Amino acid sequence: MIDESDVLICLGSENDLRENHGSVLPPIAQASLFQKETTAELYNGLRNENREFVYTRGTNPTVKALETRLAALERGESCKCFASGIAAISAVFTGLLEAGDHILFINQIYGPTFQLADMLKKFGIEYSFVVGDEMAEFESHLKKNTKLIYFESPGTMLFRLVSISSIVNAARERGILTCIDNSVSTPLFQKPIEMGIDLVVHSCTKYIGGHSDVVGGALICSEELMEKIFYSSFMLLGGIQSPFNAWLLLRGLLTLPTRLRQHQQDALEIAKYLESHKKVKRVYHPLLCAEDAPLFKEQMSGYPGLFSAELDVRDFEEMCKVADAVKLFRKAVSWGGVESLVIPSFGGDGDVNFQGIPKNLIRFSVGLEGVDYLINDLERALEA
Ligand SMILES: *Cc1c(COP(=O)(O)O)cnc(C)c1O
């Protein structure tokens, strides 16, 4: 179920009719700088660059309109948008951590997030991670110098859930910050800040944009944490969202509730179809995972179009043949757009990779072509 108030936020129903001649979408403020009447006003603006329009590397009206809607959807005090999801994640790590600090990752994590943590080792930041059955005992992986718990729920590739309330309780007792990557659920299906999480990051490239035409990211947190990040990593690393891309994301929000409802319905039907197919060993979809049912009920109100399946095939080559045989599912990275996508996961040695992701796993992002067409396509490909 999607909250009515969220639909109204996505549609920009709070628009002030006196602004911008009542334009239903905010205009694109394609400007790098904003002039003031007096020097005093300019200097006043420079002291408040996170709120005032002075220079677009800090704040821009179109980007701000998007930030206002994303903060409202996540029920957070403050939002800043970034050039990409990974730029938002970089800002959290570099803005809040120092040499000697430790990050604990919980659940399967988007690969480049790990690569970023690896890169930060040269600045003295260390990390470790916990996946699978061990997640129940994540507290024993916390260290004296753990400053941040960073997690995904649902996690990458296997879409397993972790208990947000357990993470919040363990972190609060110890004064550790918590950050979730909420890209898969979107704020329409999961509200981590309401459950006590400190920071939420998004790859807006995925469902929020929804049309495979823009790369973007967002961070939502308290004013206090944002103040720290704004004057360090945000302004100084400079990975900002452009006004035009922010406008595309505002347009994406207009159809987000409708797209998610359709993705949810079609993907679940396809996942169930695959689950019953003899060439499929196992389907990884939160709504088809009995172990995660209690957590799903506790922390999510729906689930969109992303899942994976372990095929009963000999090797990577055979899996790629299946992927090539489906015609309506395009072979591409990323996910969350209107076109269905398929991507076989790793073809390396061993039965599982370092994050416990099994081989012969294929990931589906179900688009909006229509569920019957997609199932027919899969049927044909799996028969071949
Ligand atoms: C794609 C992705 C990201 C990174 O986002 P970009 O916009 O590509 O930088 C982060 N987290 C998850 C879960 C993703 O799928």
Side-chain angles (χ1 to χ4, degrees):
M1 271 294 285
I2 294 174
D3 215 75
E4 183 186 340
S5 67
D6 285 345
V7 176
L8 297 180
I9 295 165
C10 286
L11 268 55
S13 307
E14 88 296 354
N15 263 7
D16 185 338
L17 291 182
R18 288 159 304 187
E19 268 177 33
N20 308 317
H21 312 286
S23 163
V24 291
L25 265 194
I28 304 171
Q30 192 66 32
S32 58
L33 48 87
F34 300 87
Q35 67 189 40
K36 307 291 174 193
E37 297 257 0
T38 62
T39 316
E41 250 184 75
L42 178 58
Y43 273 89
N44 190 39
L46 278 169
R47 278 188 293 272
N48 289 290
E49 269 199 270
N50 53 343
R51 288 178 191 89
E52 303 250 340
F53 305 128
V54 176
Y55 188 48
T56 284
R57 181 149 52 78
T59 307
N60 170 279
T62 316
V63 182
K64 176 129 191 142
L66 174 63
E67 290 165 349
T68 303
R69 285 183 201 181
L70 292 177
L73 288 172
E74 284 288 4
R75 313 288 190 258
E77 285 176 3
S78 181
C79 169
K80 287 308 289 178
C81 284
F82 293 80
S84 65
I86 204 75
I89 299 167
S90 304
V92 171
F93 293 172
T94 60
L96 299 176
L97 302 177
E98 289 173 18
D101 289 347
H102 168 260
I103 309 169
L104 180 66
F105 289 104
I106 303 179
N107 211 356
Q108 275 88 16
I109 302 286
Y110 177 67
T113 303
F114 264 127
Q115 290 163 21
L116 170 65
D118 269 327
M119 190 193 85
L120 293 177
K121 278 184 187 162
K122 72 177 176 192
F123 299 109
I125 294 168
E126 48 170 289
Y127 75 88
S128 55
F129 65 94
V130 46
V131 292
D133 293 339
E134 272 188 68
M135 289 196 295
E137 279 106 50
F138 75 88
E139 285 189 56
S140 65
H141 294 255
L142 293 170
K143 298 183 179 191
K144 267 212 178 76
N145 59 339
T146 304
K147 284 284 160 59
L148 176 70
I149 296 177
Y150 181 100
F151 69 106
E152 292 184 15
S153 181
T156 281
M157 289 311 282
L158 300 184
F159 312 105
R160 291 301 308 270
L161 308 187
V162 287
S163 167
I164 296 179
S165 59
S166 308
I167 289 176
V168 168
N169 291 340
R172 285 203 170 152
E173 261 170 31
R174 297 168 175 86
I176 297 171
L177 289 169
T178 51
C179 180
I180 183 173
D181 181 331
N182 205 28
S183 307
V184 175
S185 304
T186 83
L188 301 196
F189 285 149
Q190 180 165 267
K191 301 229 184 287
I193 288 175
E194 281 189 339
M195 288 180 266
I197 293 295
D198 297 311
L199 303 121
V200 174
V201 289
H202 280 282
S203 169
C204 301
T205 314
K206 314 293 167 51
Y207 284 125
I208 291 173
H211 294 74
S212 310
D213 54 6
V214 58
V215 174
L219 164 66
I220 300 100
C221 60
S222 65
E223 298 272 6
E224 190 187 341
L225 285 173
M226 191 63 86
E227 194 91 358
K228 272 191 183 166
I229 292 170
F230 182 85
Y231 288 107
S232 57
S233 304
F234 184 81
M235 283 292 276
L236 301 180
L237 296 184
I240 60 156
Q241 186 64 288
S242 73
F244 181 66
N245 282 352
W247 184 86
L248 284 175
L249 292 172
L250 282 162
R251 192 167 70 156
L253 280 183
L254 300 179
T255 55
L256 183 64
T258 310
R259 283 185 285 114
L260 286 190
R261 285 189 203 105
Q262 197 67 44
H263 286 309
Q264 161 159 273
Q265 194 177 322
D266 293 0
L268 186 58
E269 197 173 330
I270 294 171
K272 283 181 178 164
Y273 161 77
L274 287 172
E275 199 173 46
S276 67
H277 199 286
K278 60 180 187 305
K279 270 203 182 162
V280 177
K281 274 195 195 158
R282 183 167 172 190
V283 172
Y284 295 88
H285 183 298
L287 285 165
L288 300 178
C289 178
E291 292 149 282
D292 283 346
L295 279 180
F296 186 87
K297 218 173 140 202
E298 189 181 316
Q299 55 199 42
M300 298 184 76
S301 58
Y303 185 76
L306 197 64
F307 67 91
S308 58
E310 215 176 323
L311 300 185
D312 192 8
V313 289
R314 248 173 307 144
D315 50 22
F316 189 68
E317 271 69 25
E318 205 182 317
M319 189 164 62
C320 292
K321 269 190 201 147
V322 176
D324 287 340
V326 279
K327 295 300 172 211
L328 289 177
F329 290 80
R330 303 175 203 205
K331 271 56 77 178
V333 297
S334 193
W335 46 270
V338 300
E339 53 286 301
S340 292
L341 305 177
V342 70
I343 188 164
S345 78
F346 78 111
D349 298 329
D351 286 338
V352 292
N353 82 350
F354 77 102
Q355 287 205 69
I357 296 170
K359 65 178 185 189
N360 298 339
L361 192 74
I362 192 161
R363 191 190 69 191
F364 296 89
S365 175
V366 173
L368 301 176
E369 292 88 349
V371 67
D372 295 340
Y373 305 139
L374 294 171
I375 288 180
N376 287 341
D377 191 26
L378 284 165
E379 183 117 334
R380 203 167 16 79
L382 289 167
E383 292 297 298

